[in-house]
Amino acid sequence: MAGVSTVYREGLFEDRVAIVTGGATGIGLGIAEALVQLGAQVVIASRNERRLVTSARGLSRDYGREVVPQVCNIRERPQIDALIDVALGRFGKLDYVVNNGGGQFMAPAAEIRAKGWNAVIETNLTGTFHMCQSTHARWMKDHGGRIVNIVADIWRGFPGMVHTGAARAGVVNMTKTLAVEWAADGVLINCVAPGTILSTGMHNYPPEIPMTAAAQIPLKRLGTVEEIADSVLYFLSPAASFTTGATLAVDGAGSLWGDGLEIPDRPEWKPDQIPPWPEERWPDLVPPE
Ligand code: ADE
């Protein structure tokens, strides 16, 4: 920690107050650090108290300004309300909320049970909705503000993680709705959609993922935490004051190209699963093998 390079002006977020969920590790911690470095008062939230307190202490020590840790399970609305109240009670206002907290596990769709599906939807979609709604109700409907939702590279479906793909797609759509409904309140809300990012979050996946993923990305590398943090800062900065309801893909064009999940061969097509070859209409057309 300390001294992350940034293109943003020193003191840009001075006197601003921000909450970052999932702020104890990985991308969330990077976002929190970037905000602290640029002068913001930051509350970081996550479920794991030990990691949260360690990260808050580290940031406070490195930047000489207290970063507030608040344990919060975003699947519990009362804990969300308490998180917002802690920021308001401590700093008297709330300018920015970054909804980065979330999680998922790899599993083929056919094997996901109701409990796993519900957990991922409740965290990533419902939890993010409650964060937005509570923030709006408690502060932003009267004072405006900025919300950034961190989603994922879901544009071609999300093979291997259908639950989080569905949840994140829901967040993208929800963001558009809230941008319109809360525009008159001065709330600007956008999404950042990271591709594969080199961060501690990688530990949740098989070790070969980083190299395989890099080969599938046109820029031929993984993204960095700082690249995601800087994209979030853009949406929080004066540069984005006319942008709301948008989603920015920060993925090295990974969403535009690549094989993704390997598709197994399907040698045993039943006759009624294949449409008849249109020989009469195009007699010269050769059927595929
Ligand atoms: N990160 C992953 N799951 C979470 C949850 N339920 N609450 C807050 N942060 C999380």
PDB file of all heavy atoms in Angstrom, residues 7-8 31 34 148 150 190-194 224-237 240 248-251:
ATOM      1  N   VAL A   7      -3.426   9.149 -12.153  1.00  0.00           N
ATOM      2  CA  VAL A   7      -3.387  10.284 -13.075  1.00  0.00           C
ATOM      3  C   VAL A   7      -4.244  11.429 -12.554  1.00  0.00           C
ATOM      4  O   VAL A   7      -4.286  12.504 -13.132  1.00  0.00           O
ATOM      5  CB  VAL A   7      -3.894   9.902 -14.480  1.00  0.00           C
ATOM      6  CG1 VAL A   7      -2.988   8.851 -15.097  1.00  0.00           C
ATOM      7  CG2 VAL A   7      -5.349   9.419 -14.439  1.00  0.00           C
ATOM      8  N   TYR A   8      -4.966  11.157 -11.449  1.00  0.00           N
ATOM      9  CA  TYR A   8      -5.891  12.181 -10.962  1.00  0.00           C
ATOM     10  C   TYR A   8      -5.173  13.217 -10.106  1.00  0.00           C
ATOM     11  O   TYR A   8      -4.164  12.925  -9.466  1.00  0.00           O
ATOM     12  CB  TYR A   8      -7.021  11.516 -10.173  1.00  0.00           C
ATOM     13  CG  TYR A   8      -7.927  10.698 -11.077  1.00  0.00           C
ATOM     14  CD1 TYR A   8      -7.677   9.348 -11.306  1.00  0.00           C
ATOM     15  CD2 TYR A   8      -8.996  11.289 -11.747  1.00  0.00           C
ATOM     16  CE1 TYR A   8      -8.482   8.601 -12.151  1.00  0.00           C
ATOM     17  CE2 TYR A   8      -9.808  10.549 -12.593  1.00  0.00           C
ATOM     18  CZ  TYR A   8      -9.549   9.210 -12.795  1.00  0.00           C
ATOM     19  OH  TYR A   8     -10.337   8.473 -13.642  1.00  0.00           O
ATOM     20  N   ILE A  31      -9.756   0.343  -4.848  1.00  0.00           N
ATOM     21  CA  ILE A  31     -10.635   1.507  -5.032  1.00  0.00           C
ATOM     22  C   ILE A  31     -10.586   2.383  -3.774  1.00  0.00           C
ATOM     23  O   ILE A  31     -10.460   3.609  -3.852  1.00  0.00           O
ATOM     24  CB  ILE A  31     -12.088   1.048  -5.315  1.00  0.00           C
ATOM     25  CG1 ILE A  31     -12.164   0.309  -6.661  1.00  0.00           C
ATOM     26  CG2 ILE A  31     -13.044   2.245  -5.300  1.00  0.00           C
ATOM     27  CD1 ILE A  31     -13.461  -0.463  -6.884  1.00  0.00           C
ATOM     28  N   ALA A  34      -7.285   4.265  -3.598  1.00  0.00           N
ATOM     29  CA  ALA A  34      -7.211   5.379  -4.549  1.00  0.00           C
ATOM     30  C   ALA A  34      -7.999   6.580  -4.028  1.00  0.00           C
ATOM     31  O   ALA A  34      -7.562   7.733  -4.146  1.00  0.00           O
ATOM     32  CB  ALA A  34      -7.744   4.920  -5.905  1.00  0.00           C
ATOM     33  N   VAL A 148     -21.368   3.825  -7.977  1.00  0.00           N
ATOM     34  CA  VAL A 148     -20.752   2.985  -9.016  1.00  0.00           C
ATOM     35  C   VAL A 148     -20.929   1.524  -8.620  1.00  0.00           C
ATOM     36  O   VAL A 148     -20.564   1.124  -7.504  1.00  0.00           O
ATOM     37  CB  VAL A 148     -19.252   3.297  -9.205  1.00  0.00           C
ATOM     38  CG1 VAL A 148     -18.648   2.366 -10.258  1.00  0.00           C
ATOM     39  CG2 VAL A 148     -19.056   4.750  -9.635  1.00  0.00           C
ATOM     40  N   ILE A 150     -19.925  -2.318  -9.395  1.00  0.00           N
ATOM     41  CA  ILE A 150     -18.925  -3.145 -10.071  1.00  0.00           C
ATOM     42  C   ILE A 150     -19.627  -4.427 -10.526  1.00  0.00           C
ATOM     43  O   ILE A 150     -20.196  -5.155  -9.698  1.00  0.00           O
ATOM     44  CB  ILE A 150     -17.746  -3.499  -9.140  1.00  0.00           C
ATOM     45  CG1 ILE A 150     -17.163  -2.217  -8.493  1.00  0.00           C
ATOM     46  CG2 ILE A 150     -16.662  -4.263  -9.909  1.00  0.00           C
ATOM     47  CD1 ILE A 150     -16.629  -1.180  -9.444  1.00  0.00           C
ATOM     48  N   ASN A 190     -23.610   4.532 -12.268  1.00  0.00           N
ATOM     49  CA  ASN A 190     -22.993   3.865 -13.420  1.00  0.00           C
ATOM     50  C   ASN A 190     -22.373   2.543 -12.984  1.00  0.00           C
ATOM     51  O   ASN A 190     -22.249   2.273 -11.782  1.00  0.00           O
ATOM     52  CB  ASN A 190     -21.900   4.772 -14.015  1.00  0.00           C
ATOM     53  CG  ASN A 190     -22.476   6.054 -14.590  1.00  0.00           C
ATOM     54  OD1 ASN A 190     -23.077   6.057 -15.648  1.00  0.00           O
ATOM     55  ND2 ASN A 190     -22.298   7.163 -13.868  1.00  0.00           N
ATOM     56  N   CYS A 191     -21.960   1.748 -13.979  1.00  0.00           N
ATOM     57  CA  CYS A 191     -21.280   0.470 -13.689  1.00  0.00           C
ATOM     58  C   CYS A 191     -19.893   0.445 -14.312  1.00  0.00           C
ATOM     59  O   CYS A 191     -19.674   0.992 -15.400  1.00  0.00           O
ATOM     60  CB  CYS A 191     -22.031  -0.719 -14.305  1.00  0.00           C
ATOM     61  SG  CYS A 191     -23.682  -0.993 -13.686  1.00  0.00           S
ATOM     62  N   VAL A 192     -18.986  -0.240 -13.650  1.00  0.00           N
ATOM     63  CA  VAL A 192     -17.702  -0.623 -14.243  1.00  0.00           C
ATOM     64  C   VAL A 192     -17.722  -2.153 -14.358  1.00  0.00           C
ATOM     65  O   VAL A 192     -18.049  -2.840 -13.380  1.00  0.00           O
ATOM     66  CB  VAL A 192     -16.511  -0.157 -13.382  1.00  0.00           C
ATOM     67  CG1 VAL A 192     -15.210  -0.812 -13.845  1.00  0.00           C
ATOM     68  CG2 VAL A 192     -16.390   1.362 -13.443  1.00  0.00           C
ATOM     69  N   ALA A 193     -17.391  -2.650 -15.540  1.00  0.00           N
ATOM     70  CA  ALA A 193     -17.405  -4.100 -15.778  1.00  0.00           C
ATOM     71  C   ALA A 193     -15.983  -4.591 -16.025  1.00  0.00           C
ATOM     72  O   ALA A 193     -15.485  -4.555 -17.153  1.00  0.00           O
ATOM     73  CB  ALA A 193     -18.292  -4.416 -16.987  1.00  0.00           C
ATOM     74  N   PRO A 194     -15.311  -5.044 -14.960  1.00  0.00           N
ATOM     75  CA  PRO A 194     -13.931  -5.521 -15.129  1.00  0.00           C
ATOM     76  C   PRO A 194     -13.890  -6.834 -15.910  1.00  0.00           C
ATOM     77  O   PRO A 194     -14.768  -7.688 -15.743  1.00  0.00           O
ATOM     78  CB  PRO A 194     -13.449  -5.762 -13.690  1.00  0.00           C
ATOM     79  CG  PRO A 194     -14.478  -5.163 -12.785  1.00  0.00           C
ATOM     80  CD  PRO A 194     -15.756  -5.134 -13.559  1.00  0.00           C
ATOM     81  N   THR A 224      -5.219  -4.666 -14.227  1.00  0.00           N
ATOM     82  CA  THR A 224      -4.716  -4.450 -12.867  1.00  0.00           C
ATOM     83  C   THR A 224      -5.807  -3.818 -12.010  1.00  0.00           C
ATOM     84  O   THR A 224      -6.746  -3.194 -12.517  1.00  0.00           O
ATOM     85  CB  THR A 224      -3.491  -3.508 -12.863  1.00  0.00           C
ATOM     86  OG1 THR A 224      -3.915  -2.203 -13.299  1.00  0.00           O
ATOM     87  CG2 THR A 224      -2.390  -4.020 -13.776  1.00  0.00           C
ATOM     88  N   VAL A 225      -5.632  -3.975 -10.716  1.00  0.00           N
ATOM     89  CA  VAL A 225      -6.559  -3.351  -9.757  1.00  0.00           C
ATOM     90  C   VAL A 225      -6.586  -1.838  -9.968  1.00  0.00           C
ATOM     91  O   VAL A 225      -7.644  -1.202  -9.924  1.00  0.00           O
ATOM     92  CB  VAL A 225      -6.126  -3.709  -8.318  1.00  0.00           C
ATOM     93  CG1 VAL A 225      -6.845  -2.855  -7.300  1.00  0.00           C
ATOM     94  CG2 VAL A 225      -6.358  -5.189  -8.048  1.00  0.00           C
ATOM     95  N   GLU A 226      -5.413  -1.250 -10.241  1.00  0.00           N
ATOM     96  CA  GLU A 226      -5.348   0.207 -10.416  1.00  0.00           C
ATOM     97  C   GLU A 226      -6.162   0.643 -11.630  1.00  0.00           C
ATOM     98  O   GLU A 226      -6.780   1.714 -11.629  1.00  0.00           O
ATOM     99  CB  GLU A 226      -3.890   0.673 -10.586  1.00  0.00           C
ATOM    100  CG  GLU A 226      -3.053   0.583  -9.316  1.00  0.00           C
ATOM    101  CD  GLU A 226      -2.665  -0.851  -8.940  1.00  0.00           C
ATOM    102  OE1 GLU A 226      -2.681  -1.734  -9.839  1.00  0.00           O
ATOM    103  OE2 GLU A 226      -2.367  -1.096  -7.757  1.00  0.00           O
ATOM    104  N   GLU A 227      -6.172  -0.192 -12.679  1.00  0.00           N
ATOM    105  CA  GLU A 227      -6.947   0.188 -13.873  1.00  0.00           C
ATOM    106  C   GLU A 227      -8.448   0.199 -13.578  1.00  0.00           C
ATOM    107  O   GLU A 227      -9.199   1.007 -14.130  1.00  0.00           O
ATOM    108  CB  GLU A 227      -6.601  -0.751 -15.039  1.00  0.00           C
ATOM    109  CG  GLU A 227      -5.235  -0.412 -15.624  1.00  0.00           C
ATOM    110  CD  GLU A 227      -4.689  -1.473 -16.566  1.00  0.00           C
ATOM    111  OE1 GLU A 227      -4.906  -2.680 -16.330  1.00  0.00           O
ATOM    112  OE2 GLU A 227      -4.023  -1.091 -17.550  1.00  0.00           O
ATOM    113  N   ILE A 228      -8.885  -0.706 -12.720  1.00  0.00           N
ATOM    114  CA  ILE A 228     -10.304  -0.692 -12.330  1.00  0.00           C
ATOM    115  C   ILE A 228     -10.582   0.500 -11.410  1.00  0.00           C
ATOM    116  O   ILE A 228     -11.554   1.236 -11.590  1.00  0.00           O
ATOM    117  CB  ILE A 228     -10.699  -2.017 -11.629  1.00  0.00           C
ATOM    118  CG1 ILE A 228     -10.467  -3.207 -12.568  1.00  0.00           C
ATOM    119  CG2 ILE A 228     -12.158  -1.965 -11.181  1.00  0.00           C
ATOM    120  CD1 ILE A 228     -11.148  -3.113 -13.915  1.00  0.00           C
ATOM    121  N   ALA A 229      -9.693   0.704 -10.448  1.00  0.00           N
ATOM    122  CA  ALA A 229      -9.881   1.827  -9.512  1.00  0.00           C
ATOM    123  C   ALA A 229      -9.954   3.152 -10.272  1.00  0.00           C
ATOM    124  O   ALA A 229     -10.829   3.985 -10.004  1.00  0.00           O
ATOM    125  CB  ALA A 229      -8.748   1.850  -8.490  1.00  0.00           C
ATOM    126  N   ASP A 230      -9.054   3.355 -11.224  1.00  0.00           N
ATOM    127  CA  ASP A 230      -9.052   4.616 -11.969  1.00  0.00           C
ATOM    128  C   ASP A 230     -10.338   4.796 -12.777  1.00  0.00           C
ATOM    129  O   ASP A 230     -10.805   5.925 -12.968  1.00  0.00           O
ATOM    130  CB  ASP A 230      -7.822   4.695 -12.881  1.00  0.00           C
ATOM    131  CG  ASP A 230      -6.576   5.166 -12.119  1.00  0.00           C
ATOM    132  OD1 ASP A 230      -6.720   5.612 -10.965  1.00  0.00           O
ATOM    133  OD2 ASP A 230      -5.467   5.093 -12.685  1.00  0.00           O
ATOM    134  N   SER A 231     -10.929   3.689 -13.255  1.00  0.00           N
ATOM    135  CA  SER A 231     -12.187   3.787 -14.003  1.00  0.00           C
ATOM    136  C   SER A 231     -13.337   4.170 -13.070  1.00  0.00           C
ATOM    137  O   SER A 231     -14.228   4.924 -13.449  1.00  0.00           O
ATOM    138  CB  SER A 231     -12.514   2.449 -14.676  1.00  0.00           C
ATOM    139  OG  SER A 231     -11.423   2.049 -15.459  1.00  0.00           O
ATOM    140  N   VAL A 232     -13.292   3.639 -11.856  1.00  0.00           N
ATOM    141  CA  VAL A 232     -14.303   4.016 -10.855  1.00  0.00           C
ATOM    142  C   VAL A 232     -14.157   5.499 -10.518  1.00  0.00           C
ATOM    143  O   VAL A 232     -15.145   6.244 -10.450  1.00  0.00           O
ATOM    144  CB  VAL A 232     -14.165   3.138  -9.590  1.00  0.00           C
ATOM    145  CG1 VAL A 232     -15.073   3.641  -8.470  1.00  0.00           C
ATOM    146  CG2 VAL A 232     -14.464   1.683  -9.919  1.00  0.00           C
ATOM    147  N   LEU A 233     -12.906   5.940 -10.335  1.00  0.00           N
ATOM    148  CA  LEU A 233     -12.664   7.348 -10.004  1.00  0.00           C
ATOM    149  C   LEU A 233     -13.188   8.266 -11.100  1.00  0.00           C
ATOM    150  O   LEU A 233     -13.689   9.361 -10.827  1.00  0.00           O
ATOM    151  CB  LEU A 233     -11.164   7.609  -9.800  1.00  0.00           C
ATOM    152  CG  LEU A 233     -10.495   6.895  -8.626  1.00  0.00           C
ATOM    153  CD1 LEU A 233      -9.057   7.396  -8.463  1.00  0.00           C
ATOM    154  CD2 LEU A 233     -11.257   7.092  -7.325  1.00  0.00           C
ATOM    155  N   TYR A 234     -13.075   7.815 -12.336  1.00  0.00           N
ATOM    156  CA  TYR A 234     -13.619   8.621 -13.441  1.00  0.00           C
ATOM    157  C   TYR A 234     -15.110   8.894 -13.218  1.00  0.00           C
ATOM    158  O   TYR A 234     -15.566  10.036 -13.296  1.00  0.00           O
ATOM    159  CB  TYR A 234     -13.397   7.914 -14.782  1.00  0.00           C
ATOM    160  CG  TYR A 234     -14.267   8.499 -15.873  1.00  0.00           C
ATOM    161  CD1 TYR A 234     -14.022   9.776 -16.383  1.00  0.00           C
ATOM    162  CD2 TYR A 234     -15.388   7.804 -16.342  1.00  0.00           C
ATOM    163  CE1 TYR A 234     -14.862  10.340 -17.336  1.00  0.00           C
ATOM    164  CE2 TYR A 234     -16.218   8.360 -17.297  1.00  0.00           C
ATOM    165  CZ  TYR A 234     -15.958   9.625 -17.794  1.00  0.00           C
ATOM    166  OH  TYR A 234     -16.793  10.187 -18.718  1.00  0.00           O
ATOM    167  N   PHE A 235     -15.868   7.821 -12.894  1.00  0.00           N
ATOM    168  CA  PHE A 235     -17.311   8.005 -12.690  1.00  0.00           C
ATOM    169  C   PHE A 235     -17.620   8.871 -11.466  1.00  0.00           C
ATOM    170  O   PHE A 235     -18.690   9.464 -11.372  1.00  0.00           O
ATOM    171  CB  PHE A 235     -18.006   6.649 -12.549  1.00  0.00           C
ATOM    172  CG  PHE A 235     -18.267   5.956 -13.862  1.00  0.00           C
ATOM    173  CD1 PHE A 235     -17.843   4.648 -14.063  1.00  0.00           C
ATOM    174  CD2 PHE A 235     -18.945   6.601 -14.889  1.00  0.00           C
ATOM    175  CE1 PHE A 235     -18.095   3.994 -15.269  1.00  0.00           C
ATOM    176  CE2 PHE A 235     -19.200   5.950 -16.096  1.00  0.00           C
ATOM    177  CZ  PHE A 235     -18.781   4.649 -16.291  1.00  0.00           C
ATOM    178  N   LEU A 236     -16.703   8.922 -10.518  1.00  0.00           N
ATOM    179  CA  LEU A 236     -16.922   9.747  -9.316  1.00  0.00           C
ATOM    180  C   LEU A 236     -16.445  11.189  -9.529  1.00  0.00           C
ATOM    181  O   LEU A 236     -16.796  12.079  -8.745  1.00  0.00           O
ATOM    182  CB  LEU A 236     -16.175   9.139  -8.118  1.00  0.00           C
ATOM    183  CG  LEU A 236     -16.561   7.698  -7.741  1.00  0.00           C
ATOM    184  CD1 LEU A 236     -15.731   7.218  -6.551  1.00  0.00           C
ATOM    185  CD2 LEU A 236     -18.048   7.584  -7.429  1.00  0.00           C
ATOM    186  N   SER A 237     -15.673  11.392 -10.578  1.00  0.00           N
ATOM    187  CA  SER A 237     -15.006  12.683 -10.756  1.00  0.00           C
ATOM    188  C   SER A 237     -15.892  13.681 -11.511  1.00  0.00           C
ATOM    189  O   SER A 237     -16.882  13.297 -12.132  1.00  0.00           O
ATOM    190  CB  SER A 237     -13.707  12.475 -11.551  1.00  0.00           C
ATOM    191  OG  SER A 237     -14.015  12.337 -12.936  1.00  0.00           O
ATOM    192  N   ALA A 240     -17.205  13.080 -15.193  1.00  0.00           N
ATOM    193  CA  ALA A 240     -18.352  12.238 -15.556  1.00  0.00           C
ATOM    194  C   ALA A 240     -19.678  12.865 -15.128  1.00  0.00           C
ATOM    195  O   ALA A 240     -20.661  12.161 -14.931  1.00  0.00           O
ATOM    196  CB  ALA A 240     -18.198  10.862 -14.928  1.00  0.00           C
ATOM    197  N   LEU A 248     -19.141   0.815 -18.231  1.00  0.00           N
ATOM    198  CA  LEU A 248     -17.843   0.885 -18.903  1.00  0.00           C
ATOM    199  C   LEU A 248     -17.136  -0.464 -18.774  1.00  0.00           C
ATOM    200  O   LEU A 248     -16.860  -0.919 -17.660  1.00  0.00           O
ATOM    201  CB  LEU A 248     -16.991   1.985 -18.249  1.00  0.00           C
ATOM    202  CG  LEU A 248     -15.575   2.173 -18.797  1.00  0.00           C
ATOM    203  CD1 LEU A 248     -15.593   2.611 -20.263  1.00  0.00           C
ATOM    204  CD2 LEU A 248     -14.818   3.203 -17.965  1.00  0.00           C
ATOM    205  N   ALA A 249     -16.864  -1.106 -19.907  1.00  0.00           N
ATOM    206  CA  ALA A 249     -16.106  -2.364 -19.891  1.00  0.00           C
ATOM    207  C   ALA A 249     -14.626  -2.033 -19.783  1.00  0.00           C
ATOM    208  O   ALA A 249     -14.096  -1.260 -20.580  1.00  0.00           O
ATOM    209  CB  ALA A 249     -16.378  -3.161 -21.164  1.00  0.00           C
ATOM    210  N   VAL A 250     -13.967  -2.586 -18.781  1.00  0.00           N
ATOM    211  CA  VAL A 250     -12.520  -2.368 -18.595  1.00  0.00           C
ATOM    212  C   VAL A 250     -11.896  -3.747 -18.646  1.00  0.00           C
ATOM    213  O   VAL A 250     -11.662  -4.405 -17.626  1.00  0.00           O
ATOM    214  CB  VAL A 250     -12.251  -1.653 -17.253  1.00  0.00           C
ATOM    215  CG1 VAL A 250     -10.771  -1.298 -17.118  1.00  0.00           C
ATOM    216  CG2 VAL A 250     -13.090  -0.383 -17.137  1.00  0.00           C
ATOM    217  N   ASP A 251     -11.676  -4.229 -19.872  1.00  0.00           N
ATOM    218  CA  ASP A 251     -11.404  -5.661 -20.043  1.00  0.00           C
ATOM    219  C   ASP A 251     -10.429  -5.987 -21.172  1.00  0.00           C
ATOM    220  O   ASP A 251     -10.346  -7.150 -21.594  1.00  0.00           O
ATOM    221  CB  ASP A 251     -12.727  -6.409 -20.270  1.00  0.00           C
ATOM    222  CG  ASP A 251     -13.447  -5.972 -21.548  1.00  0.00           C
ATOM    223  OD1 ASP A 251     -12.866  -5.178 -22.320  1.00  0.00           O
ATOM    224  OD2 ASP A 251     -14.574  -6.429 -21.770  1.00  0.00           O
TER     225      ASP A 251
END
